[in-house]
Amino acid sequence: MTASPLFIVLEGIDGSGTTTQAERLLAHLRGRGRQVSGTREPSTGPVGKLIREILLGGHAPAPGSSVHGDTMALLFAADRRDHLQREIEPALAAGTDVVSDRYVWSSLAYQAQEADLPWVRGLARSLREPDLTLLIDLPIEEAARRRALAGRPVERYDADSYLAKVAAHYRKLAAEDPQAVVIDGRPNLDDVTQLICNAVDNLLAARGER
C-alpha cells in the first residue's frame, strides 16, 4: 500500500522533552524510509518570532507589565494559521510526514489559563487535526529541574503554579481525544523515545503502512 503522510504532534509542559523527542522521532521515521519534515510552534515565521520575544520578556507595553492573555491567544492563533499555510499543509500535500513540536493543544492548555477557554477553542475551529498527538506527561518538579539543568531562561509560563494547571488541562485533553497517546516522560531519554516510536509504529501498522 502506498504510504500516506502523517501529521504527528508532540505536546507537554516546558521541560518535558518535546523538542528532543521530536528530533528523535524524525530520525526514526527516516529510518523507516519515510519522507519527513520537522517543525514547531511558535513557528519560525514572523508572528512566531514575535511570540518568542514576548515569552522571553520582550515587547512589554510598559515596565513591569506584560502582554495581555487575550492578545497572546490571538498571536498564537495567527501564527498557527500561518504555520499551517506556509509549512504543514504544503509538506503533507507533497507526501511528506510532518512532526510538530506543539500545536493546538498548547493554546488550549496554556492560553486558556489566561483567556476564556471557549473563545480560545473558537480560534482553532476548522484547523487540520493531527493523525496522532503524543502527550509527554512529566511531573512539574522534574520539568523545572530539567529546565534549570539545561540553563534555559525563565519564560512567561514557567511558574510551577501555572504549569500545574497546564499539565492538568493537557491530561484532560488527552482523555477526550481518541487520536492521543499519553507517554510517561519520567524514564530515561531512550526509553521515552521507544514509547513514542512504538505509538507511531502502531499507528502505521493500523493503517497498513510501512
Side-chain angles (χ1 to χ4, degrees):
M1 178 181 288
T2 302
S4 57
L6 288 175
F7 179 28
I8 303 171
V9 175
L10 279 80
E11 295 279 5
I13 61 173
D14 292 344
S16 62
T18 59
T19 301
T20 298
Q21 294 298 341
E23 290 296 326
R24 287 175 160 231
L25 178 55
L26 289 170
H28 175 71
L29 288 167
R30 290 188 185 109
R32 293 190 57 142
R34 299 179 68 89
Q35 296 295 316
V36 61
S37 175
T39 189
R40 67 181 188 180
E41 290 190 359
S43 77
T44 57
V47 184
K49 290 177 181 177
L50 173 60
I51 292 171
R52 290 187 182 277
E53 290 182 23
I54 294 172
L55 292 175
L56 290 169
H59 293 279
S65 65
S66 62
V67 177
H68 192 276
D70 287 357
T71 303
M72 292 299 296
L74 286 167
L75 286 170
F76 274 100
D79 180 49
R80 183 163 299 120
R81 290 186 181 274
D82 175 59
H83 187 208
L84 272 167
Q85 294 168 0
R86 182 170 39 80
E87 290 189 53
I88 296 173
E89 296 288 5
L92 293 170
T96 300
D97 295 337
V98 175
V99 174
S100 184
D101 178 5
R102 303 187 178 283
Y103 189 55
V104 172
W105 279 19
S106 285
S107 284
L108 299 178
Y110 278 85
Q111 276 68 61
Q113 304 304 324
E114 57 180 3
D116 180 65
L117 177 57
W119 179 69
V120 175
R121 282 188 183 276
L123 295 175
R125 189 176 295 119
S126 77
L127 295 181
R128 175 187 279 269
E129 295 186 3
D131 296 295
L132 177 65
T133 300
L134 298 159
L135 172 61
I136 303 177
D137 192 17
L138 187 70
I140 57 172
E141 298 82 8
E142 176 60 16
R145 188 189 72 81
R146 293 184 185 182
R147 292 196 305 273
L149 196 62
R152 286 180 44 181
V154 176
E155 296 188 359
R156 178 184 178 104
Y157 303 117
D158 281 353
D160 283 356
S161 58
Y162 194 96
L163 288 178
K165 297 176 183 178
V166 171
H169 203 131
Y170 264 136
R171 294 183 192 111
K172 185 172 184 291
L173 289 167
E176 296 170 346
D177 189 343
Q179 307 306 125
V181 174
V182 178
I183 302 294
D184 185 354
R186 292 172 298 178
N188 65 52
L189 196 63
D190 290 340
D191 287 346
V192 174
T193 300
Q194 190 61 57
L195 291 171
I196 288 170
C197 293
N198 288 347
V200 173
D201 289 347
N202 289 341
L203 173 60
L204 288 169
R207 290 166 54 137
E209 299 176 14
R210 64 181 296 272

